[in-house]
Amino acid sequence: MGQKEHFYTREFYESAGLEPFLEHINQYLAHQRPIPVSKTGIEQNGHDILFTFSNSLMQSFTQNLNPMKKPYEVALKYGFRGYSRGGRNGIFYLRKSDASLLKAIPSLVEAHVEVIQDDLDISKDGLDALKNVKIVWHNPSGERIVGVYNQTNHRILFLDFAHY
């Protein structure tokens, strides 16, 4: 019998660290386990939100953890916070003023369309309903991790890094 999968939460991270998540990523990339799914909250209503990472971002975790560690911690700890008012960490909607981040989204969606459809459980016709999101952490370089959010089932797929 296969091992029971669980969600990676802030509480689990705080007690067990990053190692179990990294081990799961390695097993996923070796086609031995399903994709690792993390769970955090939505600030406004306490709803759970599930998030995953594209294969390229998961490979970043295994090849050079440094760029991934802080955004992952921030996404778990602060959760989804709606629209950014500046100076706060967490997962936020992209705004029109995030022009260079927004510019990166269409080609990332195109490159990951099958994964997005599977992971977010959405048809190709429904892609326009997805909301663009970013993980914000203290990073003066202007680098952010961007992704797409299916508000219907409260799932996010983070696609890749983008820059302001």
Side-chain angles (χ1 to χ4, degrees):
M1 183 152 162
Q3 84 188 83
K4 183 170 172 11
E5 299 298 341
H6 65 276
F7 297 118
Y8 292 90
T9 62
R10 180 176 88 186
E11 296 75 20
F12 181 78
Y13 177 81
E14 288 170 353
S15 69
L18 197 56
E19 208 48 50
F21 183 69
L22 295 175
E23 185 179 315
H24 191 150
I25 287 173
N26 283 320
Q27 292 168 340
Y28 166 77
L29 292 172
H31 307 290
Q32 296 167 346
R33 283 177 81 179
I35 192 166
V37 179
S38 299
K39 181 167 75 171
T40 189
I42 297 178
E43 187 177 68
Q44 299 95 317
N45 63 14
H47 211 291
D48 285 337
I49 192 162
L50 304 178
F51 66 93
T52 52
F53 294 94
S54 66
N55 284 2
S56 56
L57 284 175
M58 282 197 273
Q59 286 167 341
S60 296
F61 272 104
T62 65
Q63 292 162 359
N64 180 8
L65 179 59
N66 287 342
M68 296 301 300
K69 187 174 193 261
K70 192 65 180 172
Y72 181 67
E73 289 172 349
V74 159
L76 279 177
K77 182 175 181 180
Y78 297 105
F80 182 75
R81 304 181 90 175
Y83 285 101
S84 173
R85 294 188 294 278
R88 296 171 49 186
N89 291 334
I91 303 166
F92 296 95
Y93 289 117
L94 286 178
R95 295 178 174 270
K96 285 182 175 65
S97 58
D98 293 324
S100 49
L101 296 179
L102 283 168
K103 203 167 80 179
I105 296 281
S107 60
L108 289 172
V109 167
E110 194 173 309
H112 296 91
V113 71
E114 291 87 9
V115 177
I116 291 168
Q117 288 176 249
D118 288 347
D119 198 78
L120 300 183
D121 192 26
I122 196 161
S123 71
K124 195 166 184 149
D125 298 344
L127 293 177
D128 289 344
L130 298 175
K131 300 295 181 191
N132 300 320
V133 293
K134 62 186 174 182
I135 302 175
V136 175
W137 69 101
H138 180 69
N139 185 344
S141 76
E143 189 170 57
R144 300 289 181 257
I145 292 179
V146 295
V148 287
Y149 173 31
N150 183 345
Q151 294 176 295
T152 305
N153 62 8
H154 305 289
R155 286 185 69 100
I156 294 174
L157 174 62
F158 290 108
L159 301 170
D160 212 337
F161 286 93
H163 295 269
Y164 277 108

